[in-house]
Amino acid sequence: MALVVAGALGWVIYHYAYDYFAQAAAEQKPPKPVDINDVLKAAVTALTLIGAVLAGLYAYRKQLLAEGDAHRADASQLAERYTTAAEQLGHDQAAVRLAGVYALARLADDWAEQRQVCIDVLCAYLRMPYEPDPHGAEHKAGEREVRQTIIRVIRDHLQQPDGPTAWCEHNFDFTNVVFDGCSFSTSHFRGTVTFSRATFSYGTVDFGRATFSGDVDFGRARFDSDVDFGRATFNGDVDFSRTTFNEGGMVDFGGTSFSGIVDFGRATFNGGMVDFGRAAFSGGMVDFGRATFNGGTVDFGSAIFSGRMVTFGRATFNGGDIDFVGARFSGGVVIFDDATFSGTSFNWGPLHTPTGA
């Protein structure tokens, strides 16, 4: 069939070429006969060009089909890797679960289209019930190492925002997660991040010099251990409302920068040490309304408040020390309306306050 089509096309081209050359020869003075060799050369050249174009189109279509087959094969392989890693994460043995963590992390690096799904699975594992006390009835041998590995893998992928396998732009849901020591220091969170109702116990949790580009939710979290936010940067709104800081823990916000609304409304500080020294609050309201301070020390020494309002309205101070030495208030008002004081030591020291404070 191809030969018949080629022959018919050649015959048509030959006759068109012959008519063209015949007309050109007749218009010459004196008229000249048609050169058959020129007609044949023109017909062969036209057929060659058409054949080349058709061959190119065929090769291009063949390449597209091959690439489609390869893409489907890759997708099938990635899906199989995902299934295997998910099964490993559900295994009874901690060593197998560890292998599943690393397998899922590698899969996230290789499968950009489904990277968020892989991250969601790792976060979902952390959200599962966990007993950090090795003497607890529900404690599982090796589980702490698995969870620490997940956190370490996540942190490693949050260090270089512009890296080809960075996870910084993705979302992380740590709702209800129990952290018994972990490090997110120098991490870059650019997506949505929530630690709502999370529990920080036993080991130190390190957010030092971390950067949060969006809104962050620590609402109703509980801090039973040392937590370091030193020199962290919050570029969005921060929610610590109804958060509980229990006795014995050190919560360090020293040198931290807050650029949005900071909400500690109804938070409870039960002893311990909470350090906001040299922290900078700018761009929004700082709300400690209805917060409860039960003993311990809360240090705002040398902090800078340049937002529109700082409120401790209806806060309750039961003993302990509150230190504002060297703090600077500018560009807004400071409110202690209806606050309750009982045996609390306030150290204001040299203090700059705005008009109307």
Side-chain angles (χ1 to χ4, degrees):
M1 184 178 294
L3 290 175
V4 171
V5 171
L9 183 61
W11 182 83
V12 172
I13 292 175
Y14 173 82
H15 278 277
Y16 272 107
Y18 184 88
D19 293 341
Y20 174 79
F21 282 103
Q23 182 179 358
E27 291 176 352
Q28 294 184 7
K29 301 297 184 180
K32 293 183 179 180
V34 177
D35 190 339
I36 299 301
N37 290 330
D38 291 340
V39 176
L40 291 175
K41 288 179 181 180
V44 171
T45 300
L47 282 173
T48 302
L49 289 175
I50 294 173
V53 171
L54 293 175
L57 291 175
Y58 174 77
Y60 177 68
R61 177 171 173 77
K62 187 176 181 181
Q63 180 182 357
L64 289 179
L65 292 174
E67 290 177 352
D69 292 340
H71 181 74
R72 284 189 291 271
D74 290 342
S76 177
Q77 182 187 37
L78 291 171
E80 291 176 0
R81 289 173 58 187
Y82 174 81
T83 302
T84 301
E87 291 176 351
Q88 289 177 320
L89 280 177
H91 201 275
D92 292 336
Q93 297 184 10
V96 179
R97 296 198 298 275
L98 278 173
V101 171
Y102 287 115
L104 200 59
R106 287 194 300 271
L107 178 61
D109 293 340
D110 296 338
W111 201 3
E113 295 86 352
Q114 298 297 329
R115 184 169 295 165
Q116 182 65 61
V117 174
C118 297
I119 293 172
D120 290 343
V121 172
L122 293 175
C123 291
Y125 187 96
L126 292 176
R127 293 196 301 271
M128 295 176 64
Y130 169 56
E131 174 54 69
D133 185 356
H135 303 292
E138 301 297 326
H139 181 75
K140 295 171 61 176
E143 181 64 10
R144 185 177 190 274
E145 180 60 29
V146 175
R147 300 171 75 88
Q148 292 289 318
T149 300
I150 292 176
I151 295 170
R152 187 164 54 250
V153 165
I154 292 175
R155 176 189 177 275
D156 291 344
H157 285 84
L158 297 174
Q159 298 301 301
Q160 298 179 349
D162 298 325
T165 59
W167 298 358
C168 302
E169 305 291 339
H170 294 276
N171 304 324
F172 295 88
D173 184 0
F174 298 111
T175 303
N176 291 318
V177 172
V178 177
F179 294 94
D180 59 340
C182 66
S183 174
F184 288 105
S185 63
T186 66
S187 296
H188 297 263
F189 294 92
R190 293 183 173 179
T192 301
V193 186
T194 177
F195 291 89
S196 176
R197 295 183 175 86
T199 300
F200 300 88
S201 60
Y202 292 95
T204 299
V205 178
D206 186 5
F207 289 94
R209 292 177 292 166
T211 300
F212 298 87
S213 299
D215 297 342
V216 186
D217 182 9
F218 283 92
R220 298 178 184 269
R222 191 176 84 236
F223 294 89
D224 296 326
S225 64
D226 294 344
V227 181
D228 181 11
F229 287 95
R231 291 186 287 174
T233 301
F234 294 90
N235 292 320
D237 295 341
V238 186
D239 183 7
F240 283 94
S241 62
R242 300 179 184 269
T243 298
T244 301
F245 299 89
N246 285 325
E247 186 172 357
M250 167 67 183
V251 181
D252 182 10
F253 288 95
T256 300
S257 174
F258 299 91
S259 300
I261 296 174
V262 183
D263 185 5
F264 282 89
R266 298 178 183 268
T268 301
F269 300 86
N270 293 320
M273 172 70 183
V274 181
D275 181 17
F276 288 97
R278 305 175 311 283
F281 299 86
S282 63
M285 181 176 69
V286 181
D287 182 11
F288 285 89
R290 299 177 183 268
T292 301
F293 299 86
N294 295 319
T297 300
V298 181
D299 181 14
F300 290 97
S302 300
I304 300 174
F305 298 87
S306 56
R308 62 180 179 269
M309 179 184 295
V310 182
T311 177
F312 289 87
R314 298 188 180 184
T316 301
F317 299 88
N318 297 318
D321 300 316
I322 309 294
D323 184 2
F324 282 94
V325 174
R328 295 181 60 85
F329 296 85
S330 62
V333 295
V334 183
I335 299 173
F336 281 88
D337 290 355
D338 298 321
T340 302
F341 304 89
S342 177
T344 302
S345 173
F346 272 86
N347 188 359
W348 297 99
L351 180 69
H352 174 76
T353 58
T355 302

